[in-house]
């Protein structure tokens, strides 16, 4: 009975989003209210536990906002001067084989966009390009939905992975190696899935080569300290490798004149990579910027049932080395360089801020309620109750199901971030109870969460908004669901064997 009560707030979120089509903000708020009421009535929630758990959640949400908003703002600035579209067009001109071009667009290019933007934009941006090359709208959206998933955990400043680390009290560095292993598998499997969907399986060997290079670069970029831009660096490497495997002859590539929009795109994200790598790899710079920190101290609190949370600090912000701060510095430097380039159009920063606010407010509110629910469940023992029950039910086979739980979380909430918040702590605790490696199970969670983007109605709705597939999300879902389930099962088997 206790486990069913503990599960109820999560079910509220899932049912309201899947069945009643509520937004993540509405469902998240309802789930948070349900969690607080159940914790109050059945798990001994008192005022001290309530305010400590919620302020801790607020700090975690603030961390999300500091990652999310600057990332969206940079994307809007580059997109405003045509940089995103110019990169895509340049890519099309560089690849000779039509079939391989389609695969690379639906797979590698969509992953690149995910690594810098996310929130369904890879589907919205790339699927019209596929349609322009003769792919039907439903198939274009479907292939892009599956193809971009590999960048869904470490893209966008690695927000999903970092927040899961914060929630579970691990560090991103602890979780990255196992995550990179499973995400590397997802890179290859998503590419093969795109090739099958587009009926271009003759390019399987190119997918294996480009996918392996992308996976290896992704792993080493993160291991060298650049986790927050590891997907972006890997995407560039895969992009270049795929192009080299079927490059257009030099004499047919068209004009070599400088394209201001393309130059703007290269400047924006080139500066981002340079800044992140400088701070990550040059230890004196990292140490100097990391000196200034800020956090809040929280007292020990306990419920009448004996669930004790010791005195501890909240999320520790490294003010000047935080990826959000570095992205803001990148934006300032990018705008300065743009001003020095007369050929690049003047950026309307106010318009970019408005676009950022439209995207960021909704995502931030949804995260706030999801995180608040998670910290409430943790501090009142609800998560531990669920973990104990799951551990008894599935015992040693649990890692097999962990990616599917991540998929379900993203399907319901439309976000790998929210999936990791909802289920990260649960997966961590069950892993300990059944004797599996927590880092491996959490890697499966975030990999499944990334894969779940291909079946998340909220993302598919945004992704279809720029094509004739609008209103046909159900048909897209029928296309993507078999691939999502099949890949999740493969990842689950690997997780079970390794953990």
């Amino acid at each position: 009975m206790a486990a069913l009560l503990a599960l109820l707030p999560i079910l509220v979120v899932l049912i309201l989003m899947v069945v009643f089509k509520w937004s993540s903000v509405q469902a998240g708020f309802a789930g948070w209210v349900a969690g607080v009421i159940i914790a109050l009535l059945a798990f001994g929630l008192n005022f001290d536990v309530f305010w400590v758990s919620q302020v801790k959640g607020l700090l975690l949400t603030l961390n999300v906002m500091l990652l999310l908003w600057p990332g969206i703002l940079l994307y809007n600035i580059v997109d405003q001067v045509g940089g995103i579209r110019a990169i895509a067009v340049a890519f099309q001109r560089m690849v000779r084989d039509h079939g391989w071009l389609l695969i690379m667009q639906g797979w590698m290019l969509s992953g690149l966009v995910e690594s810098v933007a996310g929130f369904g934009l890879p589907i919205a941006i790339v699927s019209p390009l596929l349609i322009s090359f003769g792919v039907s709208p439903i198939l274009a959206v479907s292939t892009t939905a599956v193809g971009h998933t590999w960048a869904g955990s470490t893209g966008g400043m690695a927000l999903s992975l970092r927040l899961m680390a914060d929630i579970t009290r691990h560090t991103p560095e602890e979780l990255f190696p196992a995550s990179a292993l499973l995400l590397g598998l997802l890179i290859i499997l998503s590419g093969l899935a795109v090739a099958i969907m587009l009926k271009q399986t003759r390019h399987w060997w190119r997918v294996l080569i480009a996918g392996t290079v992308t996976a290896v670069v992704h792993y080493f970029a993160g291991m060298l300290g650049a986790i927050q831009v590891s997907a972006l660096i890997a995407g560039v490497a895969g992009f270049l490798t795929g192009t080299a495997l079927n490059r257009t002859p030099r004499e047919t590539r068209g004009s070599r004149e400088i394209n201001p929009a393309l130059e703007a795109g290269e400047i924006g994200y080139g500066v981002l990579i340079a800044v992140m790598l400088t701070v990550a790899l040059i230890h004196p710079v990292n140490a100097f910027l990391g000196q200034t920190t800020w956090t809040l101290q929280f007292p020990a609190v306990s419920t009448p049932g004996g669930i004790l949370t010791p005195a501890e600090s909240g999320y520790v912000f490294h003010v000047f080395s935080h990826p959000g701060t570095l992205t803001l510095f990148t934006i300032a430097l990018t705008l300065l360089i743009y001003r020095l380039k007369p050929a690049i159009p003047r950026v309307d920063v106010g318009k970019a801020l408005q676009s950022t606010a439209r995207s960021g407010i909704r995502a931030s509110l949804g995260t706030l309620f999801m995180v608040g629910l998670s910290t409430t469940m943790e501090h009142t023992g609800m998560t531990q109750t669920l973990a104990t029950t799951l551990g008894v039910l599935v015992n040693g086979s649990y890692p097999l199901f962990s990616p599917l739980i991540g998929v379900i979380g993203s399907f319901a909430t439309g976000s790998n971030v929210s999936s990791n918040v909802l289920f990260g702590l649960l997966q961590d605790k069950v892993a300990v109870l059944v004797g599996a490696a927590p880092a491996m199970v959490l890697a499966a969670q975030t990999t499944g969460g990334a894969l779940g983007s291909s079946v998340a109605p909220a993302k598919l709705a945004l992704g279809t908004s720029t094509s004739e597939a609008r209103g046909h999300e159900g048909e897209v879902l029928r296309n993507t669901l078999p691939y999502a389930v099949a890949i999740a099962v493969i990842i689950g088997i690997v997780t079970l064997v390794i953990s």
Side-chain angles (χ1 to χ4, degrees), residues 87-110 126 129-130 132-135 143-144 194 198 200 202-203 206-207 239 242-243 245-248:
I87 291 173
V89 171
F91 176 55
Q92 294 169 12
R93 292 174 177 171
M94 295 170 67
V95 179
R96 181 173 69 252
D97 186 279
H98 179 75
W100 180 236
L101 173 61
L102 296 182
I103 292 173
M104 287 294 289
Q105 285 180 325
W107 174 44
M108 199 55 64
L109 182 59
S110 65
V126 178
L129 300 178
L130 287 171
S132 70
F133 277 82
V135 180
T143 54
T144 310
V194 167
L198 291 169
Q200 298 292 335
R202 63 191 176 89
H203 295 291
R206 288 191 173 100
V207 171
F239 188 94
T243 300
L245 288 172
N246 194 247
R247 193 170 181 84
T248 301

Side-chain angles (χ1 to χ4, degrees), residues 147-224:
H148 84 284
T149 57
W150 64 266
S153 185
T154 52
M157 308 304 293
L159 177 59
S160 298
L161 181 66
R162 291 173 64 92
L163 185 55
M164 186 174 68
D166 296 337
I167 287 287
T168 58
R169 292 184 174 83
H170 294 282
T171 66
E173 290 74 19
E174 290 172 343
L175 300 182
F176 180 81
S179 299
L181 174 65
L182 296 185
L183 289 168
L185 180 59
L186 178 57
I187 290 171
I188 295 172
L189 291 176
S190 61
L192 291 173
V194 167
I196 294 170
M197 296 171 80
L198 291 169
K199 296 181 171 56
Q200 298 292 335
T201 53
R202 63 191 176 89
H203 295 291
W204 64 268
W205 62 275
R206 288 191 173 100
V207 171
L208 291 181
I209 294 173
T212 300
V213 169
T214 305
V216 170
V217 171
H218 178 254
Y219 177 84
F220 282 105
M223 294 302 291
L224 289 173

Side-chain angles (χ1 to χ4, degrees), residues 236-305:
V236 171
F239 188 94
L240 295 176
T241 302
T243 300
L245 288 172
N246 194 247
R247 193 170 181 84
T248 301
R250 183 179 299 274
E251 62 272 14
T252 64
R253 287 183 209 159
S255 173
R256 294 177 59 87
E257 294 180 5
I258 295 176
N259 180 340
L262 178 60
E263 186 181 18
E266 293 171 340
I267 288 171
Y269 289 105
V271 170
L272 177 65
I273 292 175
V275 169
M276 293 296 179
L277 287 179
T278 298
V279 175
L281 301 181
I282 302 178
H283 181 71
V285 175
N286 191 302
F288 176 75
L289 293 177
Q291 293 179 89
T292 304
T293 61
W294 178 83
T295 188
L296 293 175
Q297 296 297 323
F298 294 92
V301 292
S302 63
T303 67

